[in-house]
Amino acid sequence: MNKKQRDAISKLLSYILRHAPESIGVVLDSDGWTDVDGLILNANQHGHAFDRQTLLDVVKTNDKKRFTLSDDGQRIRAAQGHSTGQVQVQHIEKAPPAQLYHGTASRFMASIEAQGLIPGSRHHVHLTDNPETALAVGKRYGQPVLLTVDALGMRQAGVKFYQADNGVWLVESVPATYLSSLY
Ligand code: HQG
């Protein structure tokens, strides 16, 4: 299987496990997990032909570790990024580094300066400890802007931070006072 085929399955899995499990008749538990065999069966029945080995390959080689397998390998979930109401993942609360980053597009900046960062359709605002990653995320939406987040200040103000299975930092929102724009 080549990278293009793996990327297509990764996109499909993201769609199913984060946003629309009902699109192939799959049910997620409140922590986002579903049975691997059931997922494959339902995907196959909906015209997406792949087997268990292919799915394991996609999980293993995924650039952002988007999917997590349970320790026994029987269940799978998206590490973060959910919008489906079926799921409310109990992410691990953790103290973040003093500074985190968020990449966005210049066209969103007026609104972000007014409102701070809000989750949009997802359940959290996504932050990273890696400025390059943030910049790449911002580029998806247009002219990128790299924002730094005063995570230490937020923590000291009592805000809870969570870390997803794949290391992405999650927070409910970021008030504009904790943001500064690098360029
Ligand atoms: C912006 C990727 C206007 C926000 C990445 C972003 C991430 C506002 C967009 C994950 C705003 C939401 C998530 C406000 C925030 N006014 N715009 N007040 N507050 N925004 O895609 O963070 O490849 O839902 O800056 O690695 O871009 O999918 O969030 O531009 O972890 O695995 O609203 O997606 O991972 O967009 O990306 P998104 P995101 P994957």
Side-chain angles (χ1 to χ4, degrees), residues 14 18 64 66 80 102-105 108 111-112 115-122 126 133 137 140-141 168:
S14 288
R18 291 173 173 175
K64 289 189 180 173
R66 290 180 176 88
Q80 35 68 224
H102 178 89
T104 190
F108 299 145
S111 166
I112 290 172
Q115 294 187 311
L117 292 174
I118 55 174
S121 61
R122 305 196 201 235
H126 290 218
T133 303
V137 169
R140 297 178 309 160
Y141 291 121
V168 168

Side-chain angles (χ1 to χ4, degrees), residues 43-79:
N44 290 173
Q45 283 169 351
H46 284 76
H48 309 293
F50 60 88
D51 60 13
R52 195 181 176 101
Q53 193 49 52
T54 305
L55 179 133
L56 297 180
D57 256 22
V58 169
V59 171
K60 201 169 160 190
T61 59
N62 196 257
D63 57 345
K64 289 189 180 173
K65 299 196 186 318
R66 290 180 176 88
F67 314 107
T68 310
L69 288 171
S70 58
D71 290 341
D72 65 5
Q74 298 304 311
R75 294 182 305 153
I76 186 170
R77 73 174 177 185

Side-chain angles (χ1 to χ4, degrees), residues 10-176:
S10 169
K11 284 211 161 64
L12 174 72
L13 291 178
S14 288
Y15 180 66
I16 295 166
L17 296 173
R18 291 173 173 175
H19 309 302
E22 66 284 355
S23 65
I24 62 159
V26 157
V27 176
L28 310 180
D29 75 10
S30 62
D31 263 322
W33 297 105
T34 196
D35 178 61
V36 171
D37 291 331
L39 170 68
I40 294 167
L41 192 68
N42 281 49
N44 290 173
Q45 283 169 351
H46 284 76
H48 309 293
F50 60 88
D51 60 13
R52 195 181 176 101
Q53 193 49 52
T54 305
L55 179 133
L56 297 180
D57 256 22
V58 169
V59 171
K60 201 169 160 190
T61 59
N62 196 257
D63 57 345
K64 289 189 180 173
K65 299 196 186 318
R66 290 180 176 88
F67 314 107
T68 310
L69 288 171
S70 58
D71 290 341
D72 65 5
Q74 298 304 311
R75 294 182 305 153
I76 186 170
R77 73 174 177 185
Q80 35 68 224
H82 299 85
S83 68
T84 171
Q86 277 190 27
V87 170
Q88 200 174 10
V89 179
Q90 298 294 308
H91 293 290
I92 299 165
E93 194 191 337
K94 209 169 158 187
Q99 183 162 289
L100 288 170
Y101 302 91
H102 178 89
T104 190
S106 54
R107 64 195 162 97
F108 299 145
M109 280 311 292
S111 166
I112 290 172
E113 277 161 15
Q115 294 187 311
L117 292 174
I118 55 174
S121 61
R122 305 196 201 235
H123 296 168
H124 298 91
V125 169
H126 290 218
L127 306 173
T128 169
D129 54 18
N130 182 324
E132 280 101 53
T133 303
L135 211 47
V137 169
K139 275 188 190 147
R140 297 178 309 160
Y141 291 121
Q143 179 66 39
V145 175
L146 181 61
L147 297 173
T148 59
V149 175
D150 174 13
L152 183 63
M154 287 177 71
R155 273 277 295 176
Q156 285 169 345
V159 176
K160 288 182 177 164
F161 286 79
Y162 302 90
Q163 196 170 31
D165 300 336
N166 61 354
V168 168
W169 288 94
L170 304 168
V171 69
E172 215 167 272
S173 62
V174 180

